[in-house]
Amino acid sequence: MQRIGFIVLPGFQVMSLAALSAFEFANKEMGEPVYDVRLLSETGGSIRSSIGVSVATKPLDDTNFDTLIVGGSAVIGSLTPGVIKFLRRALGRYRRVAATCTGAFILAEAGLLDGRRATTHWARARELQARFPKVKVEEDRIFIIDGPVWTSAGMTAGIDLALAMVEKDLGADVARAVAKKLVVYHRRAGGQSQFSALLELEPKSDRIQSALAYAKRNLDTPLTVGQLAEAAHLSPRQFSRAFRAETGQSPAKAVENLRIEAARLMMEHSRHTIDVIARQTGFADRDRMRRAFLRAFGQPPQVIRRNMRTEAAA
């Protein structure tokens, strides 16, 4: 049996506990208690969440754990000196040490992320990088595995991280069955973006939504403003004005973001060459796609794909 210790911080967010359901349903899928999950805190006892719900925890001690996870908290830099001291010895004692959401700040404070790649909630990523310059923060990732240290983005990304652990321990079939019971996708890969280009645009009218849906279906074509305007049943001038008013972006920039998102997914889920991906997502050639990736991520497609493969191998 694998014992999992989940460290609950003062002001923790209830959503962080959702990740534990992956281990619960893995036990049910296996028909035996594969995972023994325990809630921990510095001194034990009742710990109050950010919304006022409290949970009972056990104090940190010398219990052996296979995996140690630090949950996110609404209180950045929660005063947990005992937790920091405990974590500084963790890498030598446990097979995996992980953090969901802002729990990455606690790992960083303990020095566990120095020289390692890590992620956290997108809204806190730059703060994490500024406070801990030795950490290689990648703000647009669902989760990252760097050796024995795992970190995830915020909220539901903790479920993806836990499903990845189940897959690593028990195989893809079990993880897929658990995901199905949780009514989530079989986990999103770590390299997937925290953002959805369509959700970020948040179009308000049916006409602009129709134009974006048309664009997403036809990314491999040139997609002129005239074509998008026709899909929205507007004149090109009316369309451009309405599009910018509703989304805050030009049609060209929005189409580029849709193409970047599609290209990243293709790099993650296919073995197509960069040239083929560039053509199929409408960039026409690899140089244009490279420039778009540099604008969006500060890295060329080849580096992003290499990171994805390194993580998958890990």
Side-chain angles (χ1 to χ4, degrees):
M1 181 185 298
Q2 297 184 26
R3 188 174 292 135
I4 294 177
F6 190 92
I7 297 178
V8 180
L9 302 172
F12 75 93
Q13 292 165 316
V14 174
M15 175 64 80
S16 66
L17 299 180
L20 302 181
S21 295
F23 305 115
E24 175 189 359
F25 280 89
N27 286 346
K28 292 182 178 181
E29 183 66 22
M30 297 298 291
E32 60 178 325
V34 178
Y35 295 107
D36 173 21
V37 179
R38 302 187 184 185
L39 297 183
L40 309 171
S41 66
E42 183 172 345
T43 57
S46 180
I47 302 295
R48 185 179 175 87
S49 72
S50 59
I51 202 171
V53 175
S54 298
V55 297
T57 66
K58 297 182 180 297
L60 299 175
D61 57 24
D62 292 329
T63 302
N64 289 321
F65 291 97
D66 174 82
T67 300
L68 195 67
I69 304 174
V70 181
S73 171
V75 183
I76 301 298
S78 297
L79 298 177
T80 53
V83 170
I84 300 299
K85 183 178 179 181
F86 183 80
L87 287 170
R88 283 178 177 151
R89 299 180 289 119
L91 285 183
R93 298 180 61 190
Y94 312 124
R95 179 167 67 101
R96 290 183 298 221
V97 179
T100 65
C101 195
T102 54
F105 282 79
I106 307 301
L107 294 191
E109 184 71 37
L112 272 63
L113 299 183
D114 287 356
R116 295 184 185 274
R117 296 165 53 237
T119 194
T120 187
H121 192 290
W122 62 267
R124 298 286 189 173
R126 294 186 182 180
E127 180 184 351
L128 179 65
Q129 185 66 84
R131 285 181 56 184
F132 304 100
K134 293 182 181 179
V135 183
K136 301 173 183 177
V137 179
E138 297 184 23
E139 61 183 82
D140 190 24
R141 303 294 296 277
I142 295 296
F143 64 86
I144 288 176
I145 305 169
D146 192 323
V149 180
W150 302 46
T151 52
S152 81
M155 303 304 172
T156 59
I159 299 174
D160 297 288
L161 180 138
L163 284 170
M165 289 181 174
V166 170
E167 181 172 328
K168 181 73 172 177
D169 298 338
L170 306 174
D173 290 342
V174 173
R176 193 174 297 111
V178 170
K180 186 175 181 179
K181 286 184 170 66
L182 293 176
V183 197
V184 297
Y185 291 110
H186 174 48
R187 73 165 176 84
R188 293 174 291 181
Q192 190 168 329
S193 172
Q194 292 188 36
F195 305 98
S196 163
L198 282 178
L199 287 177
E200 194 173 359
L201 288 167
E202 293 184 336
K204 298 174 179 62
S205 69
D206 290 343
R207 288 185 172 186
I208 301 303
Q209 289 177 15
S210 296
L212 285 168
Y214 173 85
K216 193 166 185 179
R217 292 194 305 269
N218 296 277
L219 288 177
D220 59 336
T221 67
L223 287 175
T224 64
V225 170
Q227 289 174 301
L228 297 177
E230 185 177 347
H233 303 292
L234 293 169
S235 71
R237 172 181 273 185
Q238 288 175 316
F239 172 75
S240 294
R241 187 184 304 120
F243 192 96
R244 187 177 286 277
E246 291 191 25
T247 68
Q249 295 184 18
S250 68
K253 185 62 176 177
V255 168
E256 179 177 282
N257 288 337
L258 289 172
R259 284 180 168 143
I260 289 170
E261 183 173 74
R264 276 192 66 164
L265 287 172
M266 283 190 70
M267 287 194 299
E268 183 178 332
H269 297 295
S270 77
R271 295 183 176 275
H272 292 310
T273 65
I274 297 297
D275 291 298
V276 169
I277 292 172
R279 288 197 301 271
Q280 292 190 3
T281 54
F283 283 109
D285 60 62
R286 64 188 297 149
D287 288 336
R288 290 184 184 178
M289 189 168 90
R290 182 179 185 277
R291 290 194 295 270
F293 269 64
L294 287 172
R295 284 192 292 271
F297 309 120
Q299 295 179 321
Q302 293 88 339
V303 172
I304 291 176
R305 170 170 263 184
R306 184 165 62 246
N307 288 341
M308 288 177 178
R309 288 175 174 173
T310 299
E311 188 169 287

